[in-house]
Amino acid sequence: MSRPLAKKVLLIGWDAADWKIINPLMDHGLMPTLEAFVNEGVMGNLATLQPMLSPMLWNSIATGKRPEKHGIHGFIEPDPQTGGVRPVTSTSRKVKAIWNILTQRGYKAHVLGWFAGHPAEPINGVSVSDLFPFATVKPGETWPLPAGAVHPESLRERLAQLRIHVGEVQSAAIVPIIPQAAKVDQEKDHRLEMFAKILAENCSIHNVATWVLENQEWDFLAVYYNGIDHFCHGFMHFHPPRMEGVPEELFEIYQGVVNGAYRFHDMMLERLLQLAGPEATVLLVSDHGFHSDHLRPRGIPKEPAGPSVQHRRLGIFAMKGPGIRRDERIYEATLLDVTPTILNLFGLPVGEDMDGRVLAQAFENTPEVDRIPSWEDEAGECGMHPADLRMDPEAAQAVLQQFVALGYIQEPGEDKKKAVAVAVREQRYNLARALMNGRKPGEALELFLALVREWPDEVRFAQHAAQCYLTLGRREEARDLLRHLVDAPVSKQPSESAQSVPSHPDADKSRQTESEPRPWVDWTMGLLCYEDGEFERALEYLQRAAAAEPLLPDLHLAIGRIYLRMGRTEDAARAYERALEIDADSAEGLHGMAVVSLRRRENELAAEYALRAVGVQHYLPMGHYHLGVALARLGNYPRAILAQETALSMLPGLLNAHRWLNALHGRAGGDPVKLVHHRKMAQHLQKQRR
């Protein structure tokens, strides 16, 4: 066991928090607590997973494992007690979370409000479920606390008193963020009630967090706030600049809500840091970001979990404490790295079955990392529930209605059998997408094809199946799957899932037409033609798709790749530049510009683009390879060797990387043993290719 690097660890989750909004606020002195936090520690982007659904992501954060391992695949699941559906629960998770592992090792661990955290788990500390703050009664009525919302039971009544009902949120709490609240006709416009509800729920969780920090022994505390995500889903379309279709009078009233929500979280952060004390190591994370600029979608897909289209691929990561570097930016972090890093802070081994890694670059001194095969095999009480634990039906309905209000699920209705079928379908779909994201296209394909057979009108299933076929090199099967959809207008395709609804209730609904093209069909056909070497035809498809959906950066990236293959460097540069105009954090766009720069012999610029690319997305073998090429041309041979070795660690069969390492080790100061190894590998791979 390694030496512990932290005395206490505080993990704070801000759902959907995004540096794109935070940085301007910090620059203007409007988030002073977080600004001081990052100046005293490290900060960086936190890459998310697909699909970007919060219950899946927050449980990956808590376990260090992908969804196919932890077992939570969406918002709802069949309820074996009622025969209907229920929200995913703490019993849905098949593996130990960080608080279970720490309980097993005798640490005092607390977890408050975590997504899919009901019933509260019997850990060695206080556990408050995500159902704890939900108001299920009108103001003035007796407000019962759901069974299983608090552990230990002895604290149930004390903590229940810390809740704030939506009816208790008065104008004094609303006006600082919505100064023109008095202008709202609350008979017609219910946004103030929505605002008050989100505020009350997050204050309730915050009250418990401060009480625990003040009154309980603690080694670890994790607290989750859903406020930023919920405020953004409700009010992002009012965020400046004003979106097309948003009435000016409503924009004037609600334009400050999103920024105000962030500032409110900054105030809550201040109190948490005061109570945690200077000796605590604090991690602040989000599961994904939220589009706040020109990338805000024009419409929301009419499918379960459609609002996730508003989510951005990069969340936030910040950490400070003893032994953590100060005022530094770190790169390459993913949400899977949070639990391994916390284990390392406590001097505990990381499970080899965890998909994340320790963020060693955040530490002043590189930490030792111990490993065990799996924490699942470690015996001892860990505070997990039996899988068949019953959930309070009334509380479950309250959660379901919140998911409906946010647009993440459809109203289950009275037909329980249909509701269960839809829930199972979406779980399988989300699992298949997670497998595809985890580079398991074969397993994903089996699930997608089964969904295509059972739900032939759901074109999204065919889309993903075709992408799996492409990834597996089975192009003819992909073509057969999509042939009947090519050039067909929406009105001839019966699925509702690929259609869009306005992204906000004030949008101009006339823009959403039945004859709107399906750009993904052209997109997929373009990729098929590209794989077949039909570059000109591929460009026709992709450019048609880009004309229909001009703000999808991945379309411009695909066009750039084709132009590079055709040797049309300047055309490729324009495509990649357009992708980066849309999304400046596109790793593939940055990598594409690195390749363009290498072709132009602009080696310093190529190295800069490549460094930025692998900073955004560490697992980018060709990004490391081209970084190595640029560094070698610049004469920086040690770093060039490191870059090529990194590329090979990700893609061992990369022939040209072996060739470069053969050449680099052949120079003065090179390693003759490695020279021989890479020369043999290059010869072997070349022979295999022939």
Side-chain angles (χ1 to χ4, degrees):
M1 179 169 158
S2 302
R3 179 178 62 86
L5 304 175
K7 294 182 178 180
K8 298 174 182 289
V9 175
L10 173 61
L11 172 62
I12 304 169
W14 285 359
D15 200 314
D18 196 314
W19 292 122
K20 272 193 174 183
I21 301 178
I22 291 171
N23 285 330
L25 291 172
M26 291 197 301
D27 291 343
H28 288 88
L30 298 178
M31 293 187 73
T33 305
L34 184 53
E35 183 176 13
F37 186 115
V38 297
N39 288 338
E40 296 169 8
V42 298
M43 65 175 289
N45 290 319
L46 198 67
T48 190
L49 307 175
Q50 294 288 349
M52 288 187 281
L53 302 179
S54 290
M56 302 173 73
L57 301 178
W58 284 106
N59 281 281
S60 285
I61 289 173
T63 62
K65 297 181 179 182
R66 292 182 175 274
E68 62 267 27
K69 293 181 181 177
H70 66 57
I72 291 181
H73 304 140
F75 290 90
I76 59 175
E77 63 187 10
D79 185 344
Q81 277 90 25
T82 68
V85 295
R86 67 181 184 185
V88 289
T89 71
S90 58
T91 64
S92 312
R93 195 185 69 244
K94 299 187 297 187
V95 301
K96 295 171 185 173
I98 179 64
W99 46 84
N100 302 121
I101 295 172
L102 294 175
T103 287
Q104 200 163 9
R105 286 300 178 97
Y107 289 96
K108 204 70 173 178
H110 311 282
V111 57
L112 312 173
W114 210 259
F115 214 125
H118 189 86
E121 294 183 272
I123 57 175
N124 184 30
V126 177
S127 177
V128 167
S129 85
D130 50 340
L131 269 61
F132 172 85
F134 292 166
T136 56
V137 298
K138 295 179 180 179
E141 296 180 1
T142 302
W143 183 12
L145 188 64
V150 171
H151 168 83
E153 190 70 19
S154 59
L155 291 177
R156 178 182 174 85
E157 295 306 319
R158 176 68 188 93
L159 296 186
Q161 297 171 12
L162 300 177
R163 296 175 300 167
I164 296 178
H165 192 281
V166 60
E168 299 177 72
V169 179
Q170 302 299 313
S171 60
I174 297 174
V175 170
I177 297 178
I178 310 177
Q180 300 183 44
K183 294 182 179 180
V184 177
D185 182 350
Q186 296 189 56
E187 293 296 321
K188 299 178 180 178
D189 183 348
H190 300 287
R191 294 184 183 90
L192 291 185
E193 182 181 356
M194 178 204 302
F195 176 90
K197 180 178 183 296
I198 299 169
L199 193 70
E201 290 172 359
N202 282 267
C203 285
S204 297
I205 291 295
H206 183 67
N207 288 348
V208 176
T210 56
W211 186 88
V212 170
L213 289 171
E214 287 183 287
N215 294 282
Q216 300 285 301
E217 295 180 7
W218 69 285
D219 299 304
F220 171 81
L221 186 144
V223 56
Y224 164 79
Y225 298 89
N226 66 20
I228 289 175
D229 183 68
H230 288 196
F231 281 124
C232 286
H233 280 296
F235 296 93
M236 182 58 81
H237 55 285
F238 296 116
H239 189 66
R242 182 162 67 96
M243 291 182 71
E244 182 181 352
V246 174
E248 188 169 352
E249 62 273 17
L250 293 179
F251 174 74
E252 290 300 322
I253 294 173
Y254 297 116
Q255 63 175 307
V257 171
V258 171
N259 283 347
Y262 274 87
R263 297 182 66 186
F264 174 62
H265 279 69
D266 193 70
M267 289 187 280
M268 292 192 289
L269 176 64
E270 179 182 24
R271 184 60 179 149
L272 292 178
L273 296 180
Q274 288 172 349
L275 294 173
E279 291 188 344
T281 299
V282 184
L283 296 87
L284 175 65
V285 303
S286 71
D287 56 336
H288 53 72
F290 206 100
H291 289 304
S292 57
D293 49 22
H294 59 288
L295 292 178
R296 286 177 286 186
R298 295 184 301 169
I300 302 295
K302 285 181 65 178
E303 62 185 57
S308 65
V309 73
Q310 297 174 287
H311 296 165
R312 187 168 166 263
R313 296 176 183 176
L314 298 174
I316 70 167
F317 177 83
M319 180 165 69
K320 77 178 189 74
I324 304 301
R325 293 162 59 190
R326 294 176 62 88
D327 196 18
E328 294 280 356
R329 180 177 289 274
I330 66 167
Y331 300 93
E332 309 165 5
T334 79
L335 54 78
L336 294 165
D337 303 330
V338 174
T339 282
T341 300
I342 293 173
L343 288 171
N344 190 252
L345 285 167
F346 281 108
L348 297 175
V350 176
E352 291 179 352
D353 58 343
M354 290 181 176
D355 299 299
R357 62 192 177 87
V358 175
L359 292 172
Q361 67 270 40
F363 295 83
E364 291 176 344
N365 300 305
T366 303
E368 296 181 20
V369 179
D370 295 332
R371 296 193 175 276
I372 59 172
S374 176
W375 278 100
E376 309 311 315
D377 300 329
E378 293 289 301
E381 177 54 48
C382 66
M384 292 182 74
H385 284 303
D388 59 350
L389 189 68
R390 185 175 177 84
M391 186 177 191
D392 184 328
E394 184 177 346
Q397 284 303 309
V399 180
L400 288 176
Q401 289 308 310
Q402 184 179 61
F403 291 162
V404 171
L406 288 168
Y408 281 121
I409 66 170
Q410 300 169 348
E411 178 67 55
E414 297 298 323
D415 189 338
K416 291 184 177 181
K417 186 175 181 181
K418 180 180 178 181
V420 168
V422 171
V424 171
R425 178 191 72 186
E426 295 307 311
Q427 283 199 319
R428 291 162 62 196
Y429 174 57
N430 293 333
L431 172 58
R433 292 183 64 193
L435 289 166
M436 188 65 175
N437 182 243
R439 301 185 184 89
K440 299 176 181 177
E443 295 177 47
L445 178 61
E446 293 181 17
L447 288 171
F448 285 131
L449 290 178
L451 290 167
V452 169
R453 288 191 294 270
E454 294 174 41
W455 305 82
D457 292 344
E458 291 280 350
V459 294
R460 56 192 169 126
F461 302 151
Q463 171 193 359
H464 287 289
Q467 291 172 342
C468 287
Y469 275 136
L470 274 174
T471 302
L472 293 166
R474 296 162 64 176
R475 297 193 293 276
E476 284 307 312
E477 289 159 295
R479 195 184 304 276
D480 290 342
L481 186 63
L482 294 174
R483 186 170 285 122
H484 68 286
L485 297 174
V486 175
D487 298 326
V490 170
S491 57
K492 294 182 181 178
Q493 296 170 3
S495 169
E496 291 186 345
S497 297
Q499 298 178 31
S500 293
V501 296
S503 59
H504 54 83
D506 312 290
D508 178 4
K509 296 177 176 61
S510 65
R511 295 178 60 198
Q512 306 297 332
T513 63
E514 284 296 305
S515 60
E516 185 176 347
R518 296 184 187 278
W520 72 261
V521 178
D522 285 331
W523 187 346
T524 310
M525 289 303 299
L527 295 179
L528 279 166
C529 292
Y530 169 68
E531 294 290 339
D532 288 339
E534 300 176 18
F535 298 148
E536 292 290 353
R537 194 173 174 208
L539 285 172
E540 289 178 13
Y541 279 118
L542 293 173
Q543 287 167 345
R544 186 164 65 191
E549 291 288 348
L551 293 182
L552 291 178
D554 289 353
L555 275 171
H556 299 282
L557 295 173
I559 292 169
R561 287 197 299 272
I562 293 173
Y563 278 134
L564 280 180
R565 286 287 302 273
M566 297 173 75
R568 295 166 60 175
T569 301
E570 297 310 312
D571 288 329
R574 282 188 286 273
Y576 286 125
E577 286 166 353
R578 177 59 183 142
L580 291 171
E581 285 174 10
I582 300 169
D583 183 5
D585 293 317
S586 167
E588 188 177 345
L590 293 166
H591 175 228
M593 286 305 299
V595 177
V596 165
S597 300
L598 283 172
R599 292 191 179 184
R600 291 170 169 171
R601 292 288 170 174
E602 297 171 344
N603 297 319
E604 288 188 11
L605 192 58
E608 180 183 335
Y609 275 122
L611 275 171
R612 288 172 60 193
V614 299
V616 171
Q617 179 182 326
H618 179 63
Y619 190 91
L620 195 66
M622 295 307 296
H624 292 281
Y625 167 76
H626 286 116
L627 173 61
V629 174
L631 292 170
R633 288 183 181 178
L634 292 168
N636 192 335
Y637 303 123
R639 288 188 65 195
I641 289 172
L642 178 61
Q644 297 293 1
E645 288 176 343
T646 303
L648 284 175
S649 70
M650 300 174 181
L651 196 61
L654 187 52
L655 170 61
N656 284 341
H658 287 291
R659 287 174 170 169
W660 268 104
L661 286 167
N662 173 51
L664 289 166
H665 284 299
R667 302 183 61 86
D671 186 327
V673 175
K674 290 184 177 180
L675 180 149
V676 171
H677 167 73
H678 290 295
R679 180 177 296 167
K680 288 182 177 179
M681 284 300 301
Q683 291 170 347
H684 172 70
L685 290 169
Q686 183 65 35
K687 185 177 180 180
Q688 275 190 332
R689 284 193 177 187
R690 293 198 189 102

